[in-house]
């Protein structure tokens, strides 16, 4: 009997973010079907992000992986503002990692930050001869700090043998940045369309009522962390402009740091001109995002850089909301046919939200018709093939 392919995934840590949602969906999906045996090594056990400390064991992604039977090992470290450098690892951590690598057929790195461990193992002469693929989720690699250097060096040395990008813009951007791995795959993001679905009238009424939102009020939703990449200031300025012409609209901001408890958020709101008369709901981290998408009429993205294939746009679209996005990464390609693309300009964004609300019946129908190609089963199948391909090419090369 042929044994399962053993796959080890490297995480910088467990905290809120689209890339972690995506990769954890892939790992859990592949582990459940029995064709592959998956494990995770997290370089940290907690993370200080956006003014909050997030414990790995409390993270939704962590719990879902454990429920799928995925074994998770974590170093006793806290993820902070900078990734762990190769020289930061202890001898005990390197020995432990080397044993996990030796027990794997393929290693996947969630983004480039965990590759500091690969570099450290290589320098110490402890890196086993196993194919390593970097799973990339940015369209602006220069914002990954020193991790870009670890990736380019590891690809040049052959320690990283492949890249798997979630968008064409990602693959192209890393190639321009000097990453030259032997193999390069592009696998579009997919979502669980069973979770992200339109709400019934009763569901929408219940969810809106819990938030104090009238049944007939337009709702614009931003699902993003409080980070310069997401440009929450631009969103807030657009809220101020849009609310002047559509004062009945309610605006939801969900994500780490998107809360009045965050002094930086309070200051940004004040600077943006969003007064108390505006129905702005700063909800912070939420575990009920599918429900919030179901009451949204518009799912907004105002990002400035770094996006590749933003999950919020397809999650919202699959739930019946109209995506309105700035032209970052593959966002325009993703929403073609059922969403709108706008310039990074306050007046243009406010106008696009108005257009989306006016055109919502037709755009909503187009979005719901596209649910099949947005489903994660296609993405998981393509990852299964890429992992098998990595192993086959490694065997042929040997």
């Amino acid at each position: 009997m042929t044994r399962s392919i053993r796959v080890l995934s490297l995480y910088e840590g467990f905290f809120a973010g689209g890339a972690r949602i995506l990769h954890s969906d892939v790992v859990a999906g592949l582990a459940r079907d029995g064709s592959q045996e998956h494990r995770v090594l997290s370089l940290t056990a907690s993370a200080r992000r956006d003014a909050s400390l997030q414990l790995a064991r409390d993270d939704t992604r962590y719990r879902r992986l454990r429920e799928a039977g995925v074994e998770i090992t974590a170093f006793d470290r806290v993820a902070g503002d900078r990734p762990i450098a190769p020289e930061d690892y202890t001898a005990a951590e390197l020995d432990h990692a080397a044993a996990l690598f030796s027990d794997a057929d393929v290693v996947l790195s969630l983004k480039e930050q965990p590759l500091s461990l690969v570099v450290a193992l290589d320098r110490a002469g402890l890196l086993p001869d196993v194919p390593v693929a970097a799973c990339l989720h940015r369209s602006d690699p220069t914002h990954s700090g020193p991790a870009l250097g670890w990736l380019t060096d590891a690809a040049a040395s052959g320690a990283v043998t492949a890249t798997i990008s979630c968008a064409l813009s990602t693959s192209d951007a890393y190639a321009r940045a000097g990453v030259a791995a032997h193999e390069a795959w592009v696998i579009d993001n997919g979502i669980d369309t069973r979770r992200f679905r339109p709400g019934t009238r009763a569901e929408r009424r219940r969810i809106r009522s819990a938030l104090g939102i009238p049944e007939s009020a337009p709702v614009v939703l931003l699902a993003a962390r409080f980070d310069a990449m997401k440009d929450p200031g631009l969103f807030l300025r657009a809220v101020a402009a849009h609310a002047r012409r559509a004062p009945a609209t309610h605006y939801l901001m969900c994500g780490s740091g998107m809360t009045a408890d965050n002094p930086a958020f309070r200051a940004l709101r004040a600077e943006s001109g969003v007064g108390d008369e505006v129905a702005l709901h700063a909800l912070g981290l939420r575990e009920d995002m599918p429900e919030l998408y179901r009451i949204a009429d518009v799912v907004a993205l105002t990002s400035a850089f770094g996006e590749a294939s933003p999950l919020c746009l397809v999650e919202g679209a699959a739930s019946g909301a109209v995506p309105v996005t700035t032209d970052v990464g593959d966002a325009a390609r993703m929403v073609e046919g059922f969403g709108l693309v706008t310039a990074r300009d306050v007046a243009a964004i406010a106008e696009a939200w108005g257009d989306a609300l006016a055109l919502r019946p037709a755009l909503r129908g187009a979005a719901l018709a596209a649910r099949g190609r947005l489903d994660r089963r296609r993405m998981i199948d393509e990852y299964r093939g890429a992992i098998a391909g990595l192993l086959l090419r490694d065997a042929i090369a040997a």
Side-chain angles (χ1 to χ4, degrees):
M1 179 178 175
T2 304
R3 66 169 176 81
S4 300
I5 297 174
R6 300 168 301 182
V7 184
L8 174 68
S9 283
L10 307 179
Y11 283 46
E12 182 184 8
F14 283 90
F15 39 84
R20 257 150 292 277
I21 293 171
L22 174 85
H23 195 89
S24 300
D25 268 358
V26 169
V27 170
L30 292 173
R32 283 193 178 104
D33 77 1
S35 63
Q36 297 178 357
E37 178 185 327
H38 283 257
R39 303 173 73 176
V40 168
L41 170 60
S42 175
L43 305 187
T44 59
S46 59
R48 194 170 298 282
R49 302 262 294 180
D50 310 316
S52 65
L53 183 68
Q54 302 170 23
L55 301 180
R57 65 174 181 269
D58 295 335
D59 183 78
T60 302
R61 276 59 56 181
Y62 183 98
R63 295 198 301 267
R64 285 184 183 155
L65 287 171
R66 292 295 297 269
E67 289 166 4
V70 176
E71 181 182 326
I72 303 173
T73 302
F75 291 155
D76 187 17
R77 291 177 173 270
V78 179
D81 294 332
R82 66 176 186 86
I84 303 167
E87 58 272 17
D88 292 338
Y89 295 99
T90 66
E93 288 172 336
L94 292 180
D95 286 341
H96 191 115
L100 292 175
F101 273 59
S102 295
D103 198 37
D105 299 309
V106 174
V107 175
L108 304 179
S109 174
L110 171 52
K111 304 173 77 169
E112 57 269 49
Q113 285 77 10
L115 292 175
S116 62
L117 178 60
V118 174
V119 172
L121 289 170
D122 201 18
R123 290 177 180 174
L126 296 173
L127 183 66
D129 185 15
V130 57
V132 177
C135 302
L136 305 175
H137 297 271
R138 291 177 177 268
S139 62
D140 190 349
T142 61
H143 284 86
S144 58
L148 176 60
W150 304 332
L151 172 56
T152 54
D153 291 348
S157 71
V160 168
T161 53
T163 60
I164 302 175
S165 300
C166 70
L168 291 169
S169 57
T170 297
S171 186
D172 291 345
Y174 279 88
R176 289 194 301 270
V179 177
H182 295 308
E183 299 286 341
W185 280 279
V186 175
I187 300 177
D188 284 337
N189 287 347
I191 60 169
D192 185 352
T193 54
R194 293 170 299 180
R195 292 184 67 231
F196 297 99
R197 58 167 178 79
T200 65
R201 180 171 296 180
E203 285 176 326
R204 288 168 58 84
R205 186 182 299 117
R206 171 183 58 79
I207 299 163
R208 282 173 172 250
S209 176
L211 293 170
I213 301 174
E215 190 175 351
S216 61
V219 172
V220 177
L221 167 66
L222 174 70
R225 67 184 183 275
F226 188 77
D227 185 273
M229 181 180 114
K230 304 294 184 179
D231 205 344
L234 178 58
F235 177 83
L236 286 167
R237 294 192 298 276
V239 166
H242 186 262
R244 286 193 290 270
R245 61 176 81 173
T249 305
H250 284 242
Y251 306 90
L252 309 185
M253 300 182 74
C254 311
S256 180
M258 296 291 199
T259 170
D261 292 337
N262 180 0
F265 177 86
R266 293 199 305 270
L268 193 59
R269 173 175 180 164
E271 293 169 9
S272 302
V274 178
D276 293 337
E277 75 282 358
V278 177
L280 179 71
H281 307 256
L283 302 177
L285 275 172
R286 301 285 294 207
E287 298 296 342
D288 59 347
M289 286 309 301
E291 291 204 339
L292 296 179
Y293 284 125
R294 284 173 203 147
I295 64 167
D297 298 295
V298 172
V299 57
L301 188 71
T302 53
S303 294
F305 60 85
E307 298 282 9
S309 181
L311 286 176
C312 64
L313 298 177
V314 291
E315 289 170 346
S319 306
V322 178
V324 179
T325 179
T326 49
D327 189 7
V328 287
D330 277 26
R333 179 173 69 88
M334 291 167 59
V335 305
E336 186 176 2
F338 56 78
L340 302 178
V341 181
T342 176
R344 283 184 32 79
D345 172 80
V346 169
I349 292 170
E351 183 176 356
W353 291 350
D355 291 343
L357 291 170
L359 298 169
R360 185 169 184 262
L363 291 173
R364 182 178 189 272
L368 296 181
R371 281 169 52 84
R373 69 177 172 86
L374 305 179
D375 192 85
R376 68 177 180 180
R377 284 171 291 188
R378 181 267 314 153
M379 172 186 68
I380 292 171
D381 285 343
E382 291 185 20
Y383 263 92
R384 181 185 293 106
I387 290 168
L390 273 170
L391 196 56
L392 177 62
R393 287 170 177 79
D394 192 61
I396 292 172

